[in-house]
Amino acid sequence: MNLYGKTAVVTGSAKGIGKAIAEKLASHNANIAVVDIDEENSIATASELMKLGVKAIPYIRDLGQVREVKSLYASIIDDFGSLDIVVNAAGIIKVNKFLEVEPDDWDAVMNLNAKSLFFSMQEAARNMIALGNGGRIINISSITGKSSRPDYPVYAASKAIVISVTRSAAGALAKHNINVNAVCPGFVHTTMWDQIDDHYVENFGRPRGEVIEKMLSNIPLNRSGELHEIASMVAYLSSSEAGYITGQAINVDGGAVMY
């Protein structure tokens, strides 16, 4: 699998799953647009990727502000001259019980996880169509988008939206040779999960580590996922080998959700 000469945009790629995806695509020779609000880590990630022999440029953007999306893609086209792969991995989570969700909580999560992602897909597609070479759009959803999450219902709803708009976009863009899929990670022990654990301790009075142990107990393979396992699925969907796959929401979760 070789992505030599391809330009890949990865949002939320300063750290975590997004960074692992950027690293995996770069290891297959793709040039990378590193997009994140975190300036320091974006610059560091781009520098690390360049050591792999690819072109990598950091773009510091607050994608929770949708107006940033159009100018972002204009800059990427100017800098790289092409657009082949877009991975929408930027996202946030707020842990709020159903009866405690405030409108501001809803807006913050939905603006980044759903609204920004939708318009990133739209702008990516417009540019891919104009360039005439087709492309791949891969959205990072979650198995929470397929299940009940009473302690973070807005996050779960946002990830369900990601699955829905992925399918709609796949139908709309197939005639332009643009494949659109979603990857739904299960439990991957990133710093985000440490923050969730802290929230359960501080606000719900739960013992430290209990929420993580509960997550692990529901996984048939009995372990956390690894960053490279999520990134490998994205790399496959980005490649010519996945040319007959579109409109899918693929779980990478150790069997936690089997549909």
Side-chain angles (χ1 to χ4, degrees), residues 84-124:
D84 306 285
I85 301 159
V86 171
V87 184
N88 291 301
I92 57 170
I93 186 170
K94 287 184 176 290
V95 181
N96 303 93
K97 289 185 176 180
F98 184 83
L99 295 177
E100 298 172 357
V101 174
E102 298 290 341
D104 286 348
D105 300 323
W106 177 275
D107 290 343
V109 173
M110 287 294 180
N111 279 348
L112 181 58
N113 294 10
K115 185 177 182 180
S116 173
L117 179 142
F118 179 89
F119 287 102
S120 175
M121 281 199 299
Q122 187 185 73
E123 195 62 26

Side-chain angles (χ1 to χ4, degrees), residues 50-228:
M50 285 189 286
K51 293 176 183 177
L52 297 175
V54 303
K55 182 177 181 178
I57 300 175
Y59 298 86
I60 315 308
R61 298 289 193 281
D62 177 5
L63 294 180
Q65 306 297 318
V66 175
R67 63 177 178 271
E68 299 266 348
V69 173
K70 193 175 186 69
S71 65
L72 167 66
Y73 280 96
S75 295
I76 290 169
I77 295 298
D78 284 345
D79 291 337
F80 288 90
S82 62
L83 180 64
D84 306 285
I85 301 159
V86 171
V87 184
N88 291 301
I92 57 170
I93 186 170
K94 287 184 176 290
V95 181
N96 303 93
K97 289 185 176 180
F98 184 83
L99 295 177
E100 298 172 357
V101 174
E102 298 290 341
D104 286 348
D105 300 323
W106 177 275
D107 290 343
V109 173
M110 287 294 180
N111 279 348
L112 181 58
N113 294 10
K115 185 177 182 180
S116 173
L117 179 142
F118 179 89
F119 287 102
S120 175
M121 281 199 299
Q122 187 185 73
E123 195 62 26
R126 284 174 174 160
N127 281 282
M128 287 174 176
I129 291 167
L131 291 166
N133 298 316
R136 301 281 194 271
I137 298 175
I138 299 142
N139 299 320
I140 304 303
S141 180
S142 168
I143 60 169
T144 62
K146 300 183 176 184
S147 53
S148 166
R149 290 294 187 269
D151 291 342
Y152 36 100
V154 183
Y155 178 79
S158 74
K159 293 304 185 177
I161 289 171
V162 172
I163 293 169
S164 178
V165 297
T166 294
R167 291 169 175 160
S168 296
L173 301 175
K175 64 185 177 183
H176 299 290
N177 195 30
I178 299 171
N179 296 43
V180 188
N181 291 289
V183 173
C184 301
F187 176 62
V188 179
H189 196 163
T190 61
T191 55
M192 183 187 79
W193 267 103
D194 291 328
Q195 293 167 3
I196 293 170
D197 192 26
D198 289 342
H199 184 94
Y200 275 90
V201 172
E202 295 167 9
N203 298 315
F204 297 163
R206 302 278 185 84
R208 186 167 301 282
E210 181 188 78
V211 65
I212 291 173
E213 289 177 8
K214 184 177 180 182
M215 290 295 297
L216 288 169
S217 71
N218 293 323
I219 300 171
L221 289 183
N222 197 35
R223 67 173 176 84
S224 170
E226 300 289 342
L227 290 173
H228 73 86

